[in-house]
Structure formats: C-alpha cells, structure tokens
Amino acid sequence: MKKALSVDKGLLVGIVIFVLFIIVGLFAKWIAPHPPLAIQLDVRLQPPSVEYWFGTDHLGRCIFSRIIYGVQTTITTAIAITLITLLISLPIGLVSGYWRGRADQFFMRVVDGTLSLPDVVLTIAIVGILGPGFVNMVIAIVLVRWANYVRFIRSLAIKAGKEEFILSARMSGNSHLSILRKYIFPQIKKPVFVFIALDLGRVVLLMAGLSFLGLGVQPPTPEWGVMLHDATSYFQLAPHIMIFPGLAILLFVLCCQLTSERLKKET
C-alpha cells in the first residue's frame, strides 16, 4: 500500500509539472511581463531583478518572457514531432510484428541501418543536407526517431501475438485487421504511452541541440536551444543568460523521465 502510494505521488509530480508547462505555454501572452522580441539595448545583460526576474540577454530582451514563450515553440513542436512519428511508426510496427515475413525483414533492415548511427549525428547530417530551419528540423527528427518506435512497437506486437487469446481470436474467424485493432493494439497501448512520455524529453534535447548549433529554429524566435546559442558569447560575462534556459530544458526532461518511470512501474 505504501509503495503504491509512493508511485502515485511520483507520477502526480511529473504530471503536474507537465501540465504547468502546458498552461504556461497556453497563457504565455498574459503571463510574460515583457514582449519576448522587444530589444532594449540600454538594459542589456542585466542580472535578475524585480523587473526582469531572470535578467536580460545581450539585446536587452527579458529572459523570463522568452522562456515562457519558448514553451510554445519547444514543447508544442516536440509533441507534434512525437505524434507524427507515432502515426508513421505504429502501423509499420504492428504489421511487421504481427505478420513477420518479407515485410518484417525489409523494415528491420531499414531500422537497423537507421539505428546504426547515433541520433544526434544522423539528425545533424539530415539537417545539413536539407538545410537549417524549423521545418527541416522537424523532418530530420521524425526520420531519425521513427526507427526506435518501430522496433519497440514490433517487439510488443510479437509478444502480444503469442498470447493464447490471439489464437482463439483467429480460430473464431476474426480478420487480421480486426485482431490488430481489437486485441493487439489494446495490449500494447500502455507501454507505447510510457515510451512516448520518455521520448518527449529526448525530442526536446534533440531540438535544443540542433538550435544550439544553428541548424534548428532560427533567431529571434524564443526557443530554449536558440537562447543557449545566443548566450555562448556572453556566458562568462552574464552566466544567467545560459543558466535559466538550461534549467527549463532540464526541468522538462526530468518531468518526462519521472512520468515515464512511474508509468512503467504501473504497467
């Protein structure tokens, strides 16, 4: 009973932090004390104060306001990338794991080739070919992350396909599509949700890394990776410029990690 209560508390903390991020993003216009793109050179590189809670950057822009607006860009994009990746990978993983055969062999060779390189290296290579920018960053991350989803969903589908009730469903005359929809998918949806919760943090890290290198979201868009990129030249002079965006990334990734670990124990 105590263990279950502890798990519930940890899960609650993760969900509350995630919901707070979403609320901040939705109401950024009303929460942010200053316009995120307003340049005020007379207050550039100001330390945290009553007026500027997280200080100002090299152009006098309010860091707190830019972090708040960055929730819209960073987290919304990460969720969109994750959903697109899932929509692509779910049918491939189900078909590959359920039917096996030549389709499975083909997709697994493609997946093995994709996973043979680290995510960061392959993502940078794809963006380097397509060119820097928001859309190309989204395409690159989807092309890299889909293989992880396919392999995970395939393994779940193979395990679920060996259950006795699947054999009973086949003998009862259910079509393959009906078995996938009614029996296989309900069995794997919880582990997939856990995987998604964890992967959101990874996607945010990938986005921040690409933007930090100048390959993702481009300035002056208020995005956490862009803010880290802008702060590199001023870190020793005004370390708060890099510290606060870094803490925002860290908090969100920890939130995803905590939620995923607690959900994993519940499943």
Side-chain angles (χ1 to χ4, degrees):
M1 183 68 180
K2 290 183 179 180
K3 183 178 180 180
L5 184 61
S6 176
V7 170
D8 291 340
K9 285 183 177 180
L11 179 60
L12 181 62
V13 170
I15 293 176
V16 167
I17 295 175
F18 182 81
V19 171
L20 286 176
F21 270 111
I22 299 300
I23 292 174
V24 167
L26 291 174
F27 297 96
K29 182 178 179 180
W30 294 274
I31 297 176
H34 302 278
L37 301 179
I39 297 176
Q40 304 177 82
L41 296 179
D42 56 323
V43 293
R44 63 191 299 266
L45 301 179
Q46 291 291 312
S49 62
V50 175
E51 184 176 2
Y52 300 101
W53 292 1
F54 291 173
T56 60
D57 64 8
H58 62 294
L59 295 177
R61 296 173 298 192
C62 177
I63 295 176
F64 179 69
S65 299
R66 287 178 63 78
I67 288 177
I68 289 176
Y69 273 89
V71 173
Q72 294 181 338
T73 305
T74 305
I75 298 181
T76 302
T77 305
I79 293 174
I81 289 173
T82 304
L83 292 178
I84 293 171
T85 307
L86 179 64
L87 290 175
I88 295 172
S89 305
L90 183 61
I92 297 176
L94 287 173
V95 169
S96 181
Y98 179 73
W99 271 293
R100 313 296 294 276
R102 293 183 178 179
D104 180 49
Q105 293 178 7
F106 171 76
F107 284 123
M108 285 304 100
R109 297 298 76 76
V110 177
V111 167
D112 290 341
T114 303
L115 295 178
S116 63
L117 293 173
D119 287 359
V120 176
V121 174
L122 186 56
T123 307
I124 292 174
I126 295 174
V127 176
I129 295 172
L130 298 177
F134 176 78
V135 175
N136 291 340
M137 176 193 69
V138 172
I139 294 173
I141 295 177
V142 171
L143 290 176
V144 170
R145 294 304 301 162
W146 78 277
N148 295 272
Y149 280 71
V150 168
R151 171 164 286 185
F152 182 69
I153 293 171
R154 173 183 176 271
S155 65
L156 294 175
I158 291 174
K159 182 179 179 181
K162 295 179 180 178
E163 298 290 341
E164 292 184 0
F165 66 87
I166 299 297
L167 179 59
S168 300
R170 291 172 181 167
M171 295 177 65
S172 300
N174 288 277
S175 65
H176 293 303
L177 183 60
S178 177
I179 292 174
L180 286 173
R181 181 171 56 87
K182 294 181 180 180
Y183 302 103
I184 301 291
F185 179 71
Q187 284 290 111
I188 71 171
K189 63 181 181 181
K190 288 184 178 180
V192 169
F193 184 75
V194 173
F195 187 83
I196 289 173
L198 179 62
D199 200 57
L200 272 175
R202 294 172 178 166
V203 171
V204 167
L205 287 175
L206 271 176
M207 289 176 54
L210 289 173
S211 298
F212 178 77
L213 295 174
L215 299 174
V217 179
Q218 299 297 302
T221 305
E223 195 269 340
W224 297 340
V226 172
M227 296 177 68
L228 291 176
H229 172 75
D230 292 341
T232 52
S233 300
Y234 305 92
F235 177 64
Q236 292 184 338
L237 180 62
H240 65 276
I241 300 179
M242 183 172 285
I243 290 174
F244 289 113
L247 288 176
I249 296 173
L250 176 63
L251 181 61
F252 183 77
V253 173
L254 287 177
C255 159
C256 294
Q257 180 75 32
L258 177 62
T259 304
S260 176
E261 288 297 323
R262 295 300 186 181
L263 286 174
K264 186 176 180 180
K265 292 180 180 180
E266 294 288 336
T267 56

